[in-house]
Amino acid sequence: MFLRIDHVGIACHNLEEKIEFYESTFGLVVVSREVNEAQGVREAMLHVADGEGGTSYVQLLEPLSPETAVGKFLAKRGEGVHHIGYGVEDVTKSMAEIAAKGVRLIDERPRHGSMGASIAFLHPKDVGGVLTELVEAPRA
Ligand code: CMX
Ligand code: CO
């Protein structure tokens, strides 16, 4: 079902500082910056590598307010890995297959993610404590 690790989502207090760290330490390059009001984040996607299954990124996330998903996570756990995003061919189909196995979907239907992707989250309590995102990249 999974084509690649699309991205690792990392929660941080200060997006600009974290971008600067990833650029200067690892030489990663920012390919997209967005504010996603629905997800409550200001974010940047940094390119890691291109593989057979598509492109992998690091997604740096700064909360728009303390009541958002990432804001609550930071208050509880501090900065660090927030979620894993897996690339899939067809997000709606994958959601149905996964739900049929008894894993709770957070999203009933796909939502808008970074760079035109269709995304859906699975509940971390049903995935061994890992918030998991399905990502269908836009058709080239
Ligand atoms: N990873 C693992 N566990 C997490 C978690 C995370 N990122 N976020 C919350 N949890 C756990 C909490 O620790 C808590 O567990 P305990 O009850 O054992 O303490 C439980 O889930 C409930 O957490 P909460 O703080 O009460 O938060 P909510 O239930 O209100 O929300 C969640 C949790 C996962 C449903 C919510 O964060 C969500 O809908 N996330 C999906 C959307 C999202 O994260 N958007 C930002 C990224 C956008 C993008 O990638 O583009
Ligand atoms: Co993500």
Side-chain angles (χ1 to χ4, degrees), residues 39 59 69 72-73 76-77 82-83 106 125 129 133:
Q39 294 291 345
Q59 180 182 40
K72 282 164 81 176
F73 178 91
K76 242 183 186 170
R77 304 199 190 189
H82 179 257
H83 66 271
I106 291 173
K125 291 288 174 198
E133 177 184 352

Side-chain angles (χ1 to χ4, degrees), residues 28-107:
L28 296 187
V29 174
V30 175
V31 292
S32 158
R33 282 172 190 260
E34 289 175 39
V35 172
N36 188 330
E37 298 277 352
Q39 294 291 345
V41 293
R42 178 177 295 114
E43 59 148 278
M45 295 294 263
L46 291 81
H47 178 264
V48 177
D50 295 309
E52 247 176 60
T55 305
S56 296
Y57 306 90
V58 168
Q59 180 182 40
L60 300 178
L61 301 159
E62 180 191 299
L64 292 177
S65 77
E67 306 80 48
T68 59
V70 175
K72 282 164 81 176
F73 178 91
L74 278 174
K76 242 183 186 170
R77 304 199 190 189
E79 294 189 318
V81 174
H82 179 257
H83 66 271
I84 308 280
Y86 292 102
V88 297
E89 189 69 44
D90 180 334
V91 70
T92 307
K93 186 163 165 262
S94 296
M95 288 167 78
E97 286 173 20
I98 292 166
K101 295 190 176 164
V103 174
R104 265 172 298 164
L105 307 176
I106 291 173
D107 301 297

Side-chain angles (χ1 to χ4, degrees), residues 16-28:
E16 294 313 317
E17 267 178 36
K18 231 32 128 216
I19 289 173
E20 159 62 26
F21 174 83
Y22 275 80
E23 286 178 340
S24 63
T25 309
F26 303 127
L28 296 187

